[in-house]
Amino acid sequence: MSSAALLILVLTLPVAGILLVVVGGGRQARGISLAVLVGNFAVAVGIGGAVCRTGRAVTYSSGGWTAPLGIQLRADGLSVVMLITAAVVALAVGVYAPNEFAVRRGGVETRRSLAFWSLLLAVSCAMNAIFLGNDFFNLYVALELLTFAAVPLVCLTGTRATLEAALRYLLFALTGSALYLLGVALLYGNYGTLDITKLSGLVRYEPGMPLWVAVALMTSGLAAKTALFPLHLWLPPAHGGAPPSASALLSALVVKGSFFLTVRLWFDTVPGQAGMRTGQLLGAMGAGAIVVGGVLALKQERLKLLIAYSTVAQIGYLFLMFPLAGHVGALSGGMLQAAAHAFAKASMFLGAGLMAEVAGSDRLDGLRGMGRALPLTTCAFVLAALSLVGVPPTGGFMAKWQLLSAAFSAGQWWWVVVILCGGLLAGGYMFRAVRPTLVEGIQPAAAIPRLREWVVLALAVCALLLGGFSKKVLELLDIGRPQITEMRP
Amino acid sequence: MSEIFGFTAACLVGLGLYGLIVHSSALRKILSFNVLGSGIFLLLGVIARRGAAAGLVADPVPQALVITGIVVAFSATALGVALIRRLDEDDEEEGEP
């Protein structure tokens, strides 16, 4: 099969899966979804192999129509790394989730189970579309697909608190998408195309006020969807209240979708064009997220809320790449952080779910003795925490190291201070979460299937291995990139 | 003519954004989102008119974008209203124990 056909397959496979789930009903949902997620992972690896082998981006013009008339799909190094990350996390969530959303043999089929599996596949499909899109309107549709899959995931349990969290999330997301669409309209009105490759050529020769208004609108819309400080207010109740499998998807993947689009906009469409001040502003918001998210995480009494606030803080690191754009390590550090955070955070939310199942609640003071009750999960939790704090040799460390070296070579020492303070804060709140699990205590006996514990551990090990294989990942990230990205803005 | 429509579109976007930020009720926020959306669709209509090739009434691409945008806005409104109704039902159940 040609590698371009794989790009189609990775989009159509999850959609076919959703249709089959709807036809097959809740009882077959789990089997169908797992088969599709395994296929999705295999295709993502296939695309990665094709990109590595040829050393070039794989492209496909839908229907044989080239841009500007047709819509192009394009997989470069950034897409491949994120595609594989998303496929691994989605598969892990699928393997972990059955107990939570299975229909018992002979039991009544619930709407919850059908909804969960179709939404899981919808999130995979939307993420794949975002990573492959090369056209801003096509990307808008993918972004909305992601929102419509993510909002119901928040309120799967249907309690009042989760419904309120979902509504608040929806309102933030809608405002964001409206601003993004307005920016897209201005771009089209000014340049007559929405193809990223074509736009990047055009804006170099005729930048101007309409371009910057459009970029500002799109960036603020995407920031609201990514929950960048100070637009993070919707995230903690939504991610902290959802069922653990849903939280893992939302925190590890969904916020990365809109972040990835921001990267496409700044690094691929207007590279090296934005002034110093714009980048500094985005970086300052990221720094605010790191500090405020870290301090609020320190104050939480519930494990899942603590992890949710840690997501607010970790998202901050992603936005440090914008002020450092053009220096070696900025883009790669940000993308490594996106992948390492996805693995570590998915592992943490799933692990927190198992701990809450055993202890009956996720209050921090009720986690005593967890190290003895769930040794594998506790071990995974500690590994994931080390990656989030940024201890060598984890993926989180490599990401922060890349960002640090970019900050040094740019001579912008203030980001170094922010990254180090963020590491201290993360050390503090992660210690608060880990400490009770390692203290003696008695936990009620609960039969947790070993497979679910192994999934949690496997994700944490992925975050660890990302550090070890970071050289390979960095080489992969460079494939198919325009040369201009690593130049001084 | 397109200047008037463009100006109207800008007003609608401004009104919608103002409503989204100022109102605290979720239903009003969703209505504001629709006003904002209408402004964007009207703007796309103006862009289509301005970008028309010789002999054509309008550039078809922005019109295609409007159709997709309307579908998305409609679904978003439906989802939002469904959530609000669900919350209201909860309120009623709590009100009459």
Side-chain angles (χ1 to χ4, degrees):
Chain A
M1 193 187 289
S2 80
S3 45
L6 289 176
L7 298 188
I8 309 288
L9 198 59
V10 85
L11 294 183
T12 47
L13 198 62
V15 176
I18 298 171
L19 296 178
L20 282 175
V21 164
V22 173
V23 173
R27 277 164 217 282
Q28 269 76 50
R30 174 190 157 189
I32 297 169
S33 309
L34 285 178
V36 168
L37 289 173
V38 170
N40 181 43
F41 173 69
V43 178
V45 171
I47 296 174
V51 169
C52 283
R53 227 179 12 252
T54 55
R56 286 192 7 234
V58 177
T59 56
Y60 173 81
S61 301
S62 48
W65 295 88
T66 48
L69 256 187
I71 293 166
Q72 207 185 38
L73 299 175
R74 185 167 184 276
D76 59 3
L78 300 187
S79 325
V80 166
V81 169
M82 293 311 288
L83 269 178
I84 296 177
T85 306
V88 170
V89 171
L91 180 61
V93 169
V95 174
Y96 169 95
N99 302 52
E100 210 176 340
F101 296 101
V103 181
R104 301 247 181 288
R105 199 176 289 275
V108 186
E109 189 183 315
T110 56
R111 194 164 50 173
R112 209 156 89 91
S113 139
L114 185 67
F116 173 77
W117 292 107
S118 42
L119 292 173
L120 171 61
L121 293 180
V123 166
S124 306
C125 175
M127 297 301 293
N128 291 347
I130 287 177
F131 299 144
L132 296 180
N134 200 34
D135 173 282
F136 276 121
F137 193 75
N138 204 26
L139 285 168
Y140 166 74
V141 177
L143 200 61
E144 289 307 67
L145 187 60
L146 187 63
T147 306
F148 292 149
V151 171
L153 273 177
V154 172
C155 56
L156 271 178
T157 49
T159 59
R160 192 175 172 84
T162 58
L163 285 170
E164 274 169 0
L167 184 60
R168 191 192 250 202
Y169 177 22
L170 180 69
L171 290 172
F172 266 90
L174 287 185
T175 315
S177 53
L179 293 178
Y180 175 85
L181 184 60
L182 186 56
V184 169
L186 290 178
L187 276 187
Y188 187 85
N190 213 33
Y191 298 105
T193 181
L194 290 171
D195 183 78
I196 293 181
T197 319
K198 286 216 179 311
L199 269 177
S200 67
L202 287 171
V203 298
R204 215 171 304 161
Y205 299 108
E206 15 170 340
M209 205 52 202
L211 171 70
W212 295 116
V213 174
V215 171
L217 284 167
M218 291 166 84
T219 309
S220 32
L222 291 168
K225 288 197 171 221
T226 319
L228 176 61
F229 175 85
L231 302 169
H232 65 284
L233 296 171
W234 59 265
L235 189 143
H239 289 193
S245 334
S247 307
L249 278 180
L250 293 168
S251 237
L253 300 184
V254 173
V255 289
K256 307 284 158 47
S258 38
F259 162 73
F260 190 81
L261 260 183
T262 321
V263 174
R264 280 275 187 248
L265 179 63
W266 284 80
F267 283 80
D268 287 3
T269 315
V270 291
Q273 298 239 348
M276 174 85 174
R277 257 175 283 171
T278 348
Q280 294 292 323
L281 179 67
L282 278 175
M285 285 160 81
I290 294 172
V291 174
V292 173
V295 170
L296 288 175
L298 274 175
K299 294 210 268 188
Q300 299 307 313
E301 289 303 324
R302 283 184 44 210
L303 181 59
K304 282 189 71 188
L305 271 178
L306 186 150
I307 304 175
Y309 274 104
S310 135
T311 299
V312 173
Q314 297 288 323
I315 286 171
Y317 287 103
L318 298 175
F319 283 83
L320 294 187
M321 62 200 270
F322 297 102
L324 303 172
H327 295 276
V328 178
L331 181 67
S332 48
M335 296 315 292
L336 259 185
Q337 162 74 4
H341 175 253
F343 289 128
K345 199 43 72 75
S347 165
M348 272 195 161
F349 263 122
L350 296 181
L354 292 182
M355 291 184 189
E357 258 176 56
V358 170
S361 92
D362 67 338
R363 292 195 62 79
L364 284 181
D365 47 17
L367 296 179
R368 284 161 180 275
M370 204 50 84
R372 209 175 283 276
L374 291 175
L376 282 180
T377 309
T378 310
C379 170
F381 198 87
V382 174
L383 277 181
L386 290 179
S387 176
L388 288 187
V389 174
V391 177
T394 58
F397 164 74
M398 282 315 296
K400 276 146 211 168
W401 181 251
Q402 292 281 325
L403 286 171
L404 274 177
S405 56
F408 276 121
S409 71
Q412 300 182 18
W413 54 268
W414 47 94
W415 305 124
V416 177
V417 178
V418 169
I419 292 172
L420 295 181
C421 284
L424 276 180
L425 281 169
Y429 61 72
M430 280 308 160
F431 178 73
R432 282 199 63 216
V434 166
R435 199 185 68 103
T437 63
L438 301 179
V439 176
E440 276 295 332
I442 295 163
Q443 287 294 339
I448 298 285
R450 269 295 156 89
L451 180 64
R452 299 181 79 192
E453 285 205 76
W454 280 110
V455 169
V456 177
L457 186 62
L459 281 170
V461 169
C462 282
L464 181 71
L465 287 182
L466 201 57
F469 289 101
S470 55
K471 195 160 176 289
K472 280 256 171 348
V473 179
L474 293 182
E475 284 167 12
L476 182 57
L477 280 171
D478 273 341
I479 296 179
R481 307 284 317 148
Q483 284 305 307
I484 194 154
T485 11
E486 295 293 341
M487 265 165 42
R488 186 87 185 83
Chain B
M1 205 52 190
S2 65
E3 282 81 9
I4 298 175
F5 283 122
F7 182 69
T8 318
C11 288
L12 282 173
V13 168
L15 278 174
L17 206 53
Y18 176 81
L20 261 176
I21 295 167
V22 167
H23 289 306
S24 57
S25 137
L27 188 59
R28 280 172 185 268
K29 273 184 190 283
I30 286 181
L31 292 176
S32 311
F33 163 73
N34 276 283
V35 174
L36 172 56
S38 308
I40 298 171
F41 300 148
L42 186 56
L43 178 69
L44 280 167
V46 173
I47 288 167
R49 187 78 186 82
R50 276 184 36 184
L56 285 176
V57 182
D59 176 2
V61 175
Q63 294 183 331
L65 302 192
V66 171
I67 293 175
T68 318
I70 288 175
V71 174
V72 170
F74 171 75
S75 325
T77 310
L79 182 58
V81 172
L83 282 172
I84 293 173
R85 279 202 53 182
R86 192 58 200 279
L87 280 168
D88 273 356
E89 280 166 20
D90 272 15
D91 281 343
E92 279 165 23
E93 276 167 28
E94 276 165 28
E96 40 187 86

